[in-house]
Amino acid sequence: MSSPNLRGAPVPGVARDRAFLRSRQSSRAARDFMRETATTWAVQPARVDDMVLCASELATNAVRHGVPCGRLFLVRLLAFEDTVRIEVHDSGPNWREPPSTTITADATAGRGLSIVGALSDEWGVLPRNPGKIVWAEFRGRQQPRTPASLGSIPQTEQFNRS
């Protein structure tokens, strides 16, 4: 894990937020949101599946471990000159270091952050009050094409009130 990283300034108007309920369906919705956004932003096709899988893993962790009942979590997607950043904001307990135990080959859980670490160029965790932000970055994207109708629709105020 590394410290917060942003490669260059955000491309104007290329940020998208979506709040999700704490439910099993939210991981699928986060995948769809990531895929739709990657297509809109003309992300290199070779990176899209990695981004979609990481968005799903981070959303699943938020649902399973980071969001108290009745609360929302936020998926924020940011485009930078050569980087796409996925952030998942939740209001659950602050970050604790992952267990140092080795995951066995037949384990059915506990691989999410290992997958994120393997597929992303960098990832990390930032404190949030309440909760945390888990992020992953992917370098090597193409220049965005963002129709004005698909720009950012911040839902942060709704998220913070939940």
Side-chain angles (χ1 to χ4, degrees):
M1 240 180 352
S2 59
S3 61
N5 183 36
L6 297 176
R7 304 243 179 243
V11 178
V14 188
R16 296 186 77 194
D17 291 346
R18 188 164 295 165
F20 296 94
L21 293 171
R22 181 182 188 234
S23 76
R24 291 183 190 181
Q25 293 79 20
S26 292
S27 294
R28 179 182 182 95
R31 283 194 304 270
D32 293 345
F33 177 54
M34 181 72 249
R35 188 170 303 282
E36 170 194 318
T37 301
T39 300
T40 301
W41 289 349
V43 170
Q44 293 178 8
R47 297 305 313 255
V48 173
D49 287 339
D50 292 346
M51 291 177 188
V52 168
L53 180 56
C54 288
S56 180
E57 291 296 337
L58 295 177
T60 298
N61 282 352
V63 168
R64 294 184 78 193
H65 309 293
V67 182
C69 288
R71 306 272 324 242
L72 303 172
F73 68 95
L74 181 81
V75 175
R76 175 170 288 153
L77 307 175
L78 302 163
F80 298 88
E81 291 178 12
D82 190 42
T83 302
V84 171
R85 180 179 174 119
I86 302 167
E87 295 181 351
V88 176
H89 300 230
D90 70 52
S91 55
N94 289 331
W95 173 257
R96 294 183 311 269
E97 289 297 318
S100 60
T101 59
T102 303
I103 299 169
T104 61
D106 60 345
T108 59
R111 297 182 180 179
L113 291 178
S114 295
I115 291 170
V116 171
L119 296 178
S120 67
D121 293 305
E122 292 189 61
W123 75 279
V125 182
L126 297 170
R128 181 179 180 278
N129 191 11
K132 64 196 162 299
I133 301 167
V134 184
W135 59 268
E137 289 185 352
F138 300 82
R139 289 190 284 282
R141 71 173 203 89
Q142 298 169 347
Q143 287 295 87
R145 45 185 170 92
T146 17
S149 63
L150 293 175
S152 175
I153 303 172
Q155 297 178 3
T156 307
E157 287 182 30
Q158 174 189 359
F159 175 69
N160 287 337
R161 282 185 266 142
S162 62

